[in-house]
Amino acid sequence: MDTTSGGFDSATALAWVRMIAAAIERDADQLTQLDSAIGDADHGVNMQRGFAAVIAALDGRDFTTPGEVLVTAGTTLMSTVGGAAGPLYGSAFRAAGKQLATTTATADQLLDGLRSGAEAVQRLGAARPGDKTLIDAYLPAVDAFAKAVAAGHTLAETAAAAAAAAEDGMRATIPMIGRKGRASYLGPRGEGHQDPGATSLALVFRALAEAVRP
């Protein structure tokens, strides 16, 4: 299989993070509305603040590897985003970045980074599939990415498959009963509401698909 076609370098990583920031800015109100139903009503504003800080931290700097970009983004998110999102997203980006220490990462290496990010989130939040968290979008995305890599698809095709799977996972949280965080306090009353963390995670993967698209 060809995993070197369309490699993932520091410029692509920067484009990805900038596209995430733009998507968060665009959809911040939606994220807050979703969080108002089952959480603290601050997910949108927290993510917006965090990614604005990330862009400020990245601007004007030169990066040799994509990993340096993602570690910088993760460290910034951990120090600027309130609530659970800062540690979770910060840990994910830092863990992913540590797997991408080459100048241009292959799809296999990016897969390793995404897996490490998911593992970091699960270690920190102890969330499992079905708990109505961002993991319900993250794990399907990683699985789809892995299957596409194994099938020899291009990086653009692989990232698009992962984004679609994340969005499917996001929508699958609607009928779930939350078992982590504030959503767990609502019990059955949380049914019918889409998880805000899964929603922002889907934005992250859709931005990746856009960043690597030819």
Side-chain angles (χ1 to χ4, degrees), residues 14 29 132 167 180 206:
L14 281 166
D29 287 346
K132 201 181 181 86
E167 289 160 357
K180 292 292 177 183
R206 180 54 61 188

Side-chain angles (χ1 to χ4, degrees), residues 41-156:
D42 60 358
H43 188 60
V45 67
N46 283 342
M47 291 291 285
Q48 190 177 27
R49 182 187 304 115
F51 274 94
V54 167
I55 297 305
L58 296 175
D59 278 349
R61 293 183 57 184
D62 293 323
F63 296 93
T64 304
T65 69
E68 292 172 354
V69 175
L70 300 187
V71 169
T72 299
T75 300
T76 304
L77 289 171
M78 292 180 78
S79 64
T80 59
V81 179
L88 292 174
Y89 272 102
S91 296
F93 277 99
R94 283 175 56 83
K98 289 176 181 178
Q99 299 295 320
L100 304 174
T102 58
T103 302
T104 301
T106 65
D108 286 300
Q109 290 169 325
L110 182 53
L111 173 59
D112 287 342
L114 295 173
R115 278 177 171 155
S116 294
E119 290 165 0
V121 169
Q122 288 191 284
R123 281 195 303 272
L124 187 61
R128 297 177 298 178
D131 283 347
K132 201 181 181 86
T133 73
L134 63 86
I135 283 296
D136 291 300
Y138 203 156
L139 293 185
V142 172
D143 288 344
F145 197 102
K147 289 175 182 176
V149 169
H153 294 306
T154 66
L155 181 55

